[in-house]
Amino acid sequence: MAVGDCGGGSGHHRRRARPTPQAVKTDPEAEPAEKEKPLVTLEEIRRAALSLPRTEEALVRERVKFRVGRIVYVALSRDELSMGCGFPREERAALVAAEPEKFFMPIPSEMRYQWIEVRLTAIDAAEMRELVTDAWCMCVPKRLAEEHLGRDRG
């Protein structure tokens, strides 16, 4: 979906392998694996989401979420390495298959929602803004989305 293409849950984070205590004991110079750093930060996501009308930020169970009314359209994982966002259910399998390094399916209990997960270590700010804007478009009246994005788009 392109930004402005407004055709009509919560996230999940990857578990990272950690060195075993035995490995650390046998190699005194071994350093813990460096945590992957996201290309997109919470602050960038916050700016993008809060620039959209009717958006509110909430902290739910130690997770930052952005919503319109009671509808959550973006949720960050606790470690802020992935983001869940609204996405058409019928299109997500194709997106995950096409770009598995970026996208992954929601946890099984959330498969019923129109939701997809994205690795923040694999997308840039422009891709993030597009995903956030498209997710927002799914939960606001079409007229509001058109007014905000301009009628010439999407």
Side-chain angles (χ1 to χ4, degrees), residues 5-154:
D5 182 9
C6 295
S10 63
H12 155 63
H13 64 276
R14 298 179 288 165
R15 297 189 189 277
R16 301 186 59 79
R18 291 189 166 73
T20 63
Q22 296 164 337
V24 174
K25 288 179 187 175
T26 59
D27 186 0
E29 294 185 36
E31 294 184 27
E34 188 176 319
K35 186 177 178 180
E36 272 188 277
K37 292 185 178 154
L39 296 176
V40 176
T41 66
L42 168 59
E43 285 306 314
E44 291 171 306
I45 295 167
R46 179 177 283 133
R47 271 195 305 277
L50 294 177
S51 73
L52 300 168
R54 300 185 187 179
T55 295
E56 300 172 350
E57 181 174 340
L59 189 63
V60 180
R61 295 185 188 111
E62 301 175 22
R63 296 184 54 207
V64 176
K65 298 183 178 195
F66 297 94
R67 63 188 182 198
V68 172
R70 295 180 58 178
I71 302 171
V72 173
Y73 68 92
V74 168
L76 275 80
S77 62
R78 284 182 183 87
D79 63 8
E80 297 178 8
L81 292 178
S82 65
M83 170 182 85
C85 58
F87 193 83
R89 191 179 317 127
E90 61 278 0
E91 296 175 21
R92 68 182 172 199
L95 184 60
V96 169
E99 297 184 86
E101 70 286 355
K102 291 182 183 182
F103 300 98
F104 58 102
M105 295 297 247
I107 59 175
S109 63
E110 295 174 353
M111 289 294 288
R112 67 184 182 271
Y113 301 116
Q114 296 203 93
W115 201 252
I116 197 161
E117 301 287 336
V118 60
R119 291 176 182 85
L120 296 177
T121 56
I123 64 168
D124 62 21
E127 289 173 294
M128 175 274 297
R129 284 190 300 274
E130 181 177 342
L131 288 164
V132 168
T133 301
D134 289 347
W136 173 80
C137 285
M138 292 176 66
C139 64
V140 297
K142 186 175 181 176
R143 193 179 95 221
L144 175 62
E146 288 173 351
E147 287 171 4
H148 181 71
L149 298 174
R151 295 195 188 280
D152 59 324
R153 299 170 108 181

